[in-house]
Amino acid sequence: MKKPELAWLKDLGEKLRPLAHRYRAVLIVLLAGMLLLASGGWFGGGKEQAAAQTGQPETAGFDLAAFEQDLNEKLAAIEGVGRVELMLSLDQTEEAVYAVNTRQTRNGDAGQSYESDLTVVSDGSYGEKPVTVKSLLPTFRGAVVLCDGADNAQVRLAVTQAVGTVCGIGSDKVTVLKMAAGT
């Protein structure tokens, strides 16, 4: 069986090789873009798609229980701490600051009047939602930490400094106590 003549393909490859070498950066970027488009959201697009499918917008609020759990794990990793239980108290909860449209009118001798209303944006089929300028995280009032290693002064100091640093509170607002043996 005779192989088909592919000389024209070989000639084309030799002509394109210098162009491919010259524009290799552009070709790499184009190839990466095509791969991302073809992936269909495999790389982190799941949250937006899940929120769109359920009809609920995604919220990135503060979760105190998850924060406490994460801090518990970090504190347990400190040498000598042992078992840890943490309780945080909040001074104020999370707060959102919304954009406001303000209009000023002058009524001759009567003075000035101000009128303001909340700025909203339409988000397609879900209706309208206010425009958030910034979101203020909650502030902590204090913390109580129960741990096995609280009888050691170095462990108490390390735990107090860690909790104070993460929560943004002073060491006088953090109490570290020895955990009872039966709990």
Side-chain angles (χ1 to χ4, degrees):
M1 186 170 197
K2 187 177 177 186
K3 292 184 180 179
E5 287 291 325
L6 298 176
W8 66 272
L9 188 60
K10 192 174 189 180
D11 290 339
L12 182 65
E14 289 175 8
K15 289 178 184 176
L16 290 178
R17 187 170 295 144
L19 285 174
H21 183 69
R22 180 184 291 170
Y23 297 108
R24 69 178 172 256
V26 174
L27 291 172
I28 290 171
V29 169
L30 286 174
L31 182 62
M34 289 181 356
L35 285 174
L36 284 174
L37 286 174
S39 71
W42 290 344
F43 302 108
K47 288 184 180 178
E48 291 84 7
Q49 289 176 351
Q53 289 174 356
T54 60
Q56 297 175 347
E58 179 183 353
T59 58
F62 178 75
D63 185 9
L64 181 62
F67 184 80
E68 284 180 340
Q69 180 63 31
D70 189 34
L71 189 53
N72 264 338
E73 293 171 7
K74 301 297 187 257
L75 292 175
I78 297 174
E79 185 176 345
V81 172
R83 295 176 300 147
V84 179
E85 286 187 26
L86 171 72
M87 184 180 80
L88 296 171
S89 64
L90 296 176
D91 196 26
Q92 70 179 41
T93 59
E94 184 177 13
E95 179 181 345
V97 178
Y98 298 111
V100 177
N101 288 328
T102 304
R103 289 178 293 283
Q104 174 183 3
T105 57
R106 294 184 184 200
N107 298 332
D109 294 336
Q112 300 176 354
S113 67
Y114 294 95
E115 183 180 324
S116 62
D117 57 346
L118 192 62
T119 304
V120 294
V121 64
S122 175
D123 57 355
S125 63
Y126 302 121
E128 295 179 338
K129 67 178 184 176
V131 176
T132 305
V133 176
K134 63 181 173 178
S135 183
L136 303 173
L137 292 177
T139 56
F140 294 98
R141 179 180 297 145
V144 174
V145 182
L146 302 174
C147 66
D148 288 332
D151 51 354
N152 184 339
Q154 288 179 329
V155 170
R156 272 197 320 271
L157 178 62
V159 169
T160 301
Q161 288 177 340
V163 172
T165 301
V166 170
C167 297
I169 54 179
S171 61
D172 61 324
K173 307 277 188 194
V174 179
T175 302
V176 180
L177 302 170
K178 176 119 175 105
M179 185 180 284
T183 47

